[in-house]
Amino acid sequence: MAAVMSTVISQMFADVVWHDTQQQAILIAAAIRGGSLPRVITPTVPGVDLVQVVAPDRRVLAASPMARNKPPISVARPEPNDPLQDLQTCSNPERGCLRYSVLRADPRADSPVVVAARRTNTVLSTGFVDAIVAAQAIVLISCVAGLTWAVTGRILQPVDAIRSKLAKITFSDLSHRIAEPAGDDEISRLIHALNQTLQRLETATHQQRRFVADASHELRTPVAGLRVKLEEAQMHPRDIDLNGLLEHTLDDVDRVQAILSDLLMLAGLESGAAAKRQRVDLAALTRAELKQRARTPPIRSSLEDGVTVEGVPSQLSRMLTNLLDNAQRHARHLVDIEVHRDSDSALVTVSDDGPGIAVADRERIFERFTRLDTARSRDRGGTGLGLAIVNDVVHAHSGTILVGESPHGGGRFDVRLPLLTEK
């Protein structure tokens, strides 16, 4: 901007000077064409005091008092088709810097030219204008830099406060929050987003710690049982029924193995590890599950063929296994399973005639190691992770699961999965 301003201002000054010299040259040329040119020219335009009429052989035919007995100011001779030229020079130390106009009096070959010049003082010199503009630019840049520094410092103060607060938050204590300032600017929204992130992180950390504690507690029970039985056998080897001991210890080992298997399943679902998905017919998958399942209590099925989804067969099979295990564990006499289309979804419904699930517990049952009062006895089986696995599998397949009351008065689980669209 400073360079453009300097160029524009300089050009404006030059245009003003050349306008005056052009006007004076035009007046003298008119006098030549009228045959009334005196030998001593009296300039009529203020400031233009150097005027000469120069012949083709470079003789000065007439001049103003300030230019008499001087060599030609310029030897330029404009062409007939371009009779006017604006020039400038600083080649003559005596005269100083000049801006002048050269005008051809008429198109004839022997036509004289009129040279009207004006000295350029310091105010009009390009160097002085450049210096003024440069000084203004330096002052302006300094002011802008100072203002930017001050404004940036004020803007970054909240950011530095955020950094200091975050530095104090550790993994062992995620309860701290950053004070949110009033307003709705970018800093306020940033702090609000950070607080939400800290809240989610604290919740996830709390759930993880609770999960680890629950898992340790669940594993401690069968391991402690194993230790007691083995220590008793070691202390009283003659009084121990070996077959009974092996049977009970194997039961405890089975329980530990089931818990570890469920934990590994949940860890795989949480990590989002890529598993190959393929076309799965839910009716066929359900029939395969029913063939290898005990029929006590009996299971009634209503399966619609061709209800296909895209998913991981092993995970979907585990979902069906856990739902049927849960239903048979709580049913009195009957379990129902249905697979059919419902609009653009595949609907899998598992219901029983057991005690049912209270409305207040219908979300809590999907938490890990959650057992309702009717299912707290470990003798009835289950690791407390079955429905948590079902919930994770359903969400991993972009589905939903709802808990309600079955027509028989027991629990009802409705699983909806997106149908596979034909390409």
Side-chain angles (χ1 to χ4, degrees), residues 144-205:
V144 171
L147 181 62
T148 303
W149 179 269
V151 171
T152 304
R154 294 196 63 178
I155 291 175
L156 292 180
Q157 281 181 355
V159 177
D160 188 62
I162 295 172
R163 180 197 59 78
S164 301
K165 190 67 175 180
L166 289 175
K168 297 178 181 178
I169 299 175
T170 62
F171 185 74
S172 58
D173 185 7
L174 296 171
S175 61
H176 295 284
R177 297 293 181 269
I178 304 170
E180 297 187 18
D184 190 31
D185 55 11
E186 289 76 6
I187 296 296
S188 300
R189 291 194 292 269
L190 173 63
I191 295 176
H192 182 69
L194 285 173
N195 284 335
Q196 288 183 325
T197 301
L198 288 172
Q199 179 63 46
R200 290 192 296 268
L201 184 60
E202 183 182 16
T203 301
T205 303

Side-chain angles (χ1 to χ4, degrees), residues 21 70 92-93 113 131 153 185 205 207 307 355-356 358 360 366 379 381 407 415:
T21 58
K70 304 290 184 183
N92 192 327
V113 297
D185 55 11
T205 303
Q207 291 175 346
V307 180
F366 295 113
D379 295 337
V415 176

Side-chain angles (χ1 to χ4, degrees), residues 55-78:
D57 59 359
R58 299 185 182 180
R59 289 182 299 111
V60 178
L61 302 178
S64 64
M66 298 293 294
R68 291 188 66 189
N69 302 320
K70 304 290 184 183
I73 296 172
S74 174
V75 296
R77 287 189 63 81

Side-chain angles (χ1 to χ4, degrees), residues 84-125:
L84 179 64
Q85 291 183 0
D86 291 325
L87 303 169
Q88 61 182 356
T89 181
C90 292
S91 60
N92 192 327
E94 181 184 351
R95 296 171 179 163
C97 293
L98 301 177
R99 284 195 176 97
Y100 59 94
S101 297
V102 182
L103 177 63
R104 192 182 185 96
D106 57 59
R108 292 178 300 138
D110 59 348
S111 171
V113 297
V114 180
V115 180
R118 179 176 178 174
R119 292 183 178 88
T120 57
N121 54 30
T122 306
V123 175
L124 298 179
S125 68

